[in-house]
Amino acid sequence: MPAVPAAQQRPADGGIRRRRAGRPSSAVLDKAGITAAALELVSRKGYDGLTMAALAKELDVAPSALYNHVTSKQDVLLLVEDHLMSLVDVSGFGTGTWEEAVRRWAWSYRDVFAEHTPLIPVIAVLPVTDAPQTLAMYETVSKGFLDAGFPPEQIIPAIVALESFIFGSAYDVTAPADIFDSGTMAESTPHFTAAVRDAAAGAGRGRPADTAFSLGLDALVSGLGVLRRANPME
Amino acid sequence: MPAVPAAQQRPADGGIRRRRAGRPSSAVLDKAGITAAALELVSRKGYDGLTMAALAKELDVAPSALYNHVTSKQDVLLLVEDHLMSLVDVSGFGTGTWEEAVRRWAWSYRDVFAEHTPLIPVIAVLPVTDAPQTLAMYETVSKGFLDAGFPPEQIIPAIVALESFIFGSAYDVTAPADIFDSGTMAESTPHFTAAVRDAAAGAGRGRPADTAFSLGLDALVSGLGVLRRANPME
DNA sequence: ACCACTAAATGAATGCCATTCATTTATAAG
DNA sequence: CTTATAAATGAATGGCATTCATTTAGTGGT
């Protein structure tokens, strides 16, 4: 029984020395720690900087050690994705009106994933089964739609339609400001060029992406809202 | 002056021999050929199979030769993306009503990119400047919106909102059928689980993605449609 | 007709990346 | 106490985009 537990051993050198091989006395890694380190890494270096090697270094561990806790890099992305879902604001459901709740949810959902667009392809194919936070969000939103009088069989399609708009809009946030600059070909695209100019002049306040998101969200909310109480009950 | 041009030389061996080093008599590669080969490769092996090495092999060329014509793989994706834009059906604009034209455009746009979702992140950041087909599509659609009575400064935001929905919906098409299977956690998410069941029962005909897309598109078309003629003129 | 320049190919690196495997050590179970 | 399992290391492995030196063929200028 040594006086100093092995986990704390960092002798008189500068902390440069690596851990010796073999199972450590207390586990260094777990999923929560990996998730946190991945998020930290992403916020510091972006998704290009999120490599298994960099993640291992962040956790002061050999890259291969990660594979005792996750089966692949995709698995890490899944952990991050599920964590982010817990940041989406669903607090409107149950307190305010359906419209207000959906708007708050949609804006927050878009804002969260605008910072994490590389995860969007992951989500799209992700089975919800092993993503508890994601499941929790869907549960709250589903209940909100049901309570608002949506016909049960339309709830999922309505949520999916909103989500599709949200994911697409998240990409839009990251677009460069001059994305619609038609350059040398401006003469051959007069209507488009004029429309771009007018849009820039019209919506001076706020990001262009916000203008489009607001416009589309209004349309979706009012368009989907008419489905409510289409059933005789309540 | 040789009787047989060098470009045709494929001697008595099985055609296995490689081209000898140095500039060939007539150019082997150009952007159109690279684009076509990339599309062929993608349709045969998917986007995972689209590597610079595989593309080179498809064109019977050394990988490094590609870099005389494109600056990066991103550049290849850009060529493919612009080509796909020419496949989007804008024929409704100018012939039918605005609503019909938008619907046809949106469905076709979604269908094209549902087969090419890995390009969506590319499009989102792509400056339109060096994408002539893309620019042509925007020109036609912009004119269609203008002729339909949209206020000029709202045309681009409306198109962007629709596009965001379209891109998100394209991902949705590729989602596995059981994506919403809540598995062992079904008990803790009763409303969501019921909604998924009811949705499956309700919309038996057609893919689930089509139901959601149809619903969202209806909402957007009617919601955006009210913007028309909001200006006093015409 | 010659010469320099540029365009377009080859083939051999380079460096990064995710992943696997053999090995080592510690803990837990029977 | 013995055996199995969990969790770490470190050394491959194979694939990938990209770069570079080299070779050859057209092109433009004098």
Side-chain angles (χ1 to χ4, degrees):
Chain A
M1 52 178 73
V4 176
Q8 291 187 10
Q9 71 165 198
R10 279 253 187 121
D13 64 36
I16 309 288
R17 281 283 151 254
R18 324 231 87 251
R19 205 182 344 267
R20 80 175 186 281
R23 178 180 184 171
S25 308
S26 79
V28 179
L29 296 178
D30 60 4
K31 292 199 180 195
I34 291 172
T35 307
L39 276 163
E40 162 66 18
L41 196 51
V42 164
S43 79
R44 194 145 33 79
K45 312 259 189 179
Y47 276 87
D48 284 352
L50 179 58
T51 69
M52 294 302 270
L55 186 53
K57 187 177 235 177
E58 180 85 15
L59 289 158
D60 195 36
V61 140
S64 52
L66 295 168
Y67 290 87
N68 288 321
H69 301 267
V70 297
T71 69
S72 62
K73 181 176 180 178
Q74 174 87 1
D75 208 0
V76 173
L77 297 179
L78 207 131
L79 289 173
V80 172
E81 185 272 325
D82 194 47
H83 174 82
L84 291 177
M85 283 294 187
S86 73
L87 303 182
V88 174
D89 184 357
V90 294
S91 68
F93 293 103
T95 65
T97 67
W98 173 80
E99 286 209 2
E100 273 209 356
V102 171
R103 283 205 165 83
R104 195 189 303 180
W105 169 70
W107 276 99
S108 122
Y109 201 166
R110 186 204 68 146
D111 287 344
V112 168
F113 281 95
E115 304 284 318
H116 297 271
T117 53
L119 290 182
I120 293 179
V122 176
I123 307 171
V125 185
L126 170 71
V128 140
T129 310
D130 29 27
Q133 304 297 324
T134 306
L135 219 35
M137 187 198 73
Y138 283 133
E139 173 65 7
T140 303
V141 176
S142 297
K143 180 164 189 310
F145 275 53
L146 191 68
D147 292 346
F150 271 84
E153 75 277 8
Q154 309 239 53
I155 292 177
I156 295 297
I159 293 174
V160 168
L162 280 161
E163 264 188 321
S164 296
F165 175 65
I166 288 163
F167 290 145
S169 298
Y171 278 118
D172 193 35
V173 173
T174 73
D178 62 338
I179 191 171
F180 284 138
D181 182 11
S182 42
T184 73
M185 303 182 150
E187 301 140 6
S188 47
T189 60
H191 299 96
F192 174 64
T193 303
V196 170
R197 180 181 12 82
D198 293 344
R205 55 169 180 265
R207 291 175 296 184
D210 289 351
T211 304
F213 187 68
S214 180
L215 194 66
L217 186 57
D218 283 352
L220 280 169
V221 166
S222 74
L224 294 176
V226 303
L227 300 175
R228 294 164 63 186
R229 306 183 175 280
N231 53 349
M233 297 293 294
E234 140 122 30
Chain B
M1 53 174 75
V4 176
Q8 290 187 10
Q9 72 164 200
R10 279 260 186 115
D13 62 38
I16 309 288
R17 280 286 151 251
R18 323 231 88 253
R19 203 184 343 266
R20 80 175 187 281
R23 178 180 185 174
S25 307
S26 78
V28 180
L29 295 179
D30 60 4
K31 293 200 180 196
I34 291 173
T35 307
L39 276 163
E40 162 66 17
L41 197 51
V42 164
S43 78
R44 195 146 33 78
K45 311 259 189 181
Y47 276 87
D48 284 351
L50 179 58
T51 67
M52 294 301 271
L55 185 54
K57 186 177 235 177
E58 181 84 15
L59 291 158
D60 194 35
V61 141
S64 52
L66 295 168
Y67 290 87
N68 288 321
H69 301 266
V70 296
T71 68
S72 63
K73 180 176 181 178
Q74 175 86 0
D75 207 1
V76 173
L77 296 179
L78 208 132
L79 289 173
V80 171
E81 185 271 325
D82 194 47
H83 174 82
L84 291 178
M85 284 293 189
S86 73
L87 304 181
V88 174
D89 183 358
V90 293
S91 67
F93 293 102
T95 65
T97 68
W98 173 80
E99 287 209 3
E100 273 209 357
V102 171
R103 282 206 165 83
R104 194 190 302 180
W105 169 70
W107 277 98
S108 128
Y109 201 166
R110 186 204 67 148
D111 287 345
V112 167
F113 281 95
E115 305 283 319
H116 297 271
T117 53
L119 290 182
I120 293 178
V122 176
I123 306 170
V125 185
L126 171 72
V128 142
T129 310
D130 30 25
Q133 304 297 323
T134 305
L135 218 37
M137 186 197 74
Y138 283 131
E139 172 65 9
T140 304
V141 176
S142 297
K143 180 164 190 311
F145 275 55
L146 190 69
D147 292 346
F150 271 83
E153 75 277 8
Q154 309 239 52
I155 290 178
I156 294 298
I159 293 174
V160 167
L162 281 161
E163 264 190 321
S164 297
F165 175 66
I166 287 163
F167 290 145
S169 299
Y171 278 120
D172 194 35
V173 173
T174 73
D178 62 338
I179 192 172
F180 284 139
D181 183 9
S182 43
T184 74
M185 302 183 151
E187 302 139 6
S188 48
T189 60
H191 299 96
F192 174 64
T193 304
V196 170
R197 182 183 10 84
D198 294 345
R205 57 171 179 264
R207 290 175 296 184
D210 289 351
T211 305
F213 187 68
S214 180
L215 194 66
L217 186 56
D218 284 351
L220 280 169
V221 166
S222 74
L224 294 176
V226 304
L227 299 176
R228 294 163 63 187
R229 306 180 175 282
N231 54 345
M233 296 294 294
E234 137 122 30

